[in-house]
Amino acid sequence: MTTTSEEDLDQFRESVRSALSGASTSARVRAAMMTERGWDDSTWRLLVRLDLPGLMLPERYGGGGLGPTELAVAVEECGASLACTPLFATSVLAVPLLLALDDPRAMECHGRRIAHGELTATVALAEAGARWDVSGVRTTARCAGDRWWLDGTKHHVVDGATADLLLVVARTPDGPGVFAVERDAAGLSAEPLVTLDQTRKMARLQLTGVEAELVGPVGCDAALATAADVSRALLAAEQTGVAQRCLDMVVAYAKTRIQFARPIGSFQVVKQRLSDALIQVESARSAVYTATRSSGTELSRNSLVAALMAAKASTWVTAQTIQLHGGVGFTWEHDAHLYYKRARTSARLLGQVEEHVAALSELLEHEVA
């Protein structure tokens, strides 16, 4: 559980928001998303100076020694500005997995470089159907002497074509394992994918006899589940930031858009929609920070609740933002569509709604029993 006070969290939020206000502008986001790499180096360097990549890593490896609650604050602000950087893949996906695996050698080798901003990383788990589900992994790992070799295909890997380090989840005869693969490894090919959200690049990875290094133990189901719970809660924080920014955007518009000689925000139907949006955003935020302060079974349950509430808030509020802006909201020039696309893709990134509901139902039944 975090020991950071609410006052300190608020100050931290303001510092991240202030930094991103000038670094992650609409113009920069649009310029970055049109590049092959998909992210802006100057914005990434800024986040490194704020020590965000290694915020959750232990201090002995150069990290900040903090927890998911503190990172959630930063991730929420990154979502609000649609910051195009490797922070999500590196710190939201890869770092929780490294922490859960608790491999001192891997942490010393990779963790320190991540904390210093010298290494970007991602997790390659999803395969057929892009499902974030270990049971669906078909990529295989075979051991020959003291080396491991991987064969298989990974789909929708965030920053899969650009990350320096890939943490690949593969099957072994003794259960799932996580394997570190360098970007330039022989037998590894990455195909950039055309996706709905241009602000977050994804790739399809083909591994053919790729040499890899085992991270942590084989049969690491528990570590994979814990890492997924943390990543899910942090993704929900980003979704909350997306919803909050759209709510701010549409409230400002409702105050200045005049129809029938009155601001549209004075109409009861608009007031009702904005009130509903505020309730959804605040409920999602509450669920997120409840999850990031949890551990064990509570973390599993609360991260699923946060995922459901944040996905609903972000998709609904972004859709309302487009609609309430009228004709201008449907144009390429307005940023509303960028937030809508991020919300729609994020809602499926680490599991779909029906999967979360099924998992939550199973957890609750087990607790009652």
Side-chain angles (χ1 to χ4, degrees), residues 322-345:
I322 291 176
Q323 192 169 49
L324 290 174
H325 272 82
V328 71
F330 289 86
T331 64
W332 173 263
E333 289 75 15
H334 200 281
D335 287 343
H337 75 95
L338 298 179
Y339 286 93
Y340 178 76
K341 292 172 180 176
R342 171 66 68 88
R344 296 294 295 183
T345 55

Side-chain angles (χ1 to χ4, degrees), residues 60-349:
R60 63 181 179 276
Y61 299 118
L66 298 175
T69 299
E70 290 81 6
L71 184 60
V73 170
V75 171
E76 184 179 339
E77 293 304 317
C78 287
S81 66
L82 292 180
C84 293
T85 73
L87 185 72
F88 183 86
T90 301
S91 301
V92 173
L93 298 181
V95 167
L97 184 53
L98 285 173
L99 290 171
L101 291 168
D102 194 24
D103 185 329
R105 180 182 176 187
M107 290 294 288
E108 183 63 43
C109 179
H110 307 305
R112 192 174 299 278
R113 294 174 63 198
I114 288 174
H116 293 161
E118 300 169 356
L119 183 78
T120 61
T122 191
V123 175
L125 190 155
E127 295 188 9
R131 295 183 61 209
W132 198 265
D133 184 2
V134 177
S135 66
V137 170
R138 296 295 178 264
T139 297
T140 59
R142 51 189 171 84
C143 185
D146 59 349
R147 297 183 179 181
W148 290 87
W149 306 88
L150 306 182
D151 293 278
T153 304
K154 294 293 183 180
H155 295 272
H156 292 82
V157 181
V158 179
D159 291 346
T162 58
D164 302 316
L165 176 70
L166 303 169
L167 297 179
V168 181
V169 181
R171 296 172 58 196
T172 77
D174 300 312
V178 177
F179 300 86
V181 176
E182 300 292 336
R183 183 175 62 181
D184 57 356
L188 171 66
S189 63
E191 175 190 354
L193 298 176
V194 177
T195 59
L196 179 65
D197 179 14
Q198 293 176 282
T199 65
R200 173 166 288 155
K201 301 297 184 182
M202 296 188 181
R204 175 179 177 272
L205 304 181
Q206 183 66 47
L207 302 102
T208 307
V210 175
E211 185 174 358
E213 177 185 347
L214 177 66
V215 180
V218 169
C220 55
D221 300 80
L224 286 165
T226 298
D229 290 337
V230 175
S231 296
R232 192 180 298 117
L234 292 172
L235 171 60
E238 183 192 80
Q239 291 171 301
T240 302
V242 167
Q244 180 67 66
R245 178 58 59 86
C246 283
L247 176 58
D248 294 342
M249 191 188 304
V250 75
V251 166
Y253 182 76
K255 291 178 179 179
T256 59
R257 178 70 170 94
I258 305 298
Q259 283 188 344
F260 307 108
R262 295 169 55 188
I264 63 171
S266 66
F267 300 137
Q268 185 60 39
V269 65
V270 176
K271 289 181 180 179
Q272 186 63 53
R273 290 195 191 185
L274 295 180
S275 297
D276 290 345
L278 177 61
I279 291 171
Q280 290 202 36
V281 172
E282 290 299 328
S283 297
R285 181 174 290 114
S286 177
V288 165
Y289 290 101
T290 297
T292 59
R293 290 180 168 94
S294 304
S295 60
T297 304
E298 288 190 352
L299 171 60
S300 298
R301 181 184 66 240
N302 293 336
S303 71
L304 289 167
V305 172
L308 288 168
M309 298 187 73
K312 179 183 178 182
S314 61
T315 53
W316 191 82
V317 175
T318 54
Q320 294 301 313
T321 300
I322 291 176
Q323 192 169 49
L324 290 174
H325 272 82
V328 71
F330 289 86
T331 64
W332 173 263
E333 289 75 15
H334 200 281
D335 287 343
H337 75 95
L338 298 179
Y339 286 93
Y340 178 76
K341 292 172 180 176
R342 171 66 68 88
R344 296 294 295 183
T345 55
S346 294
R348 303 174 66 88
L349 186 56

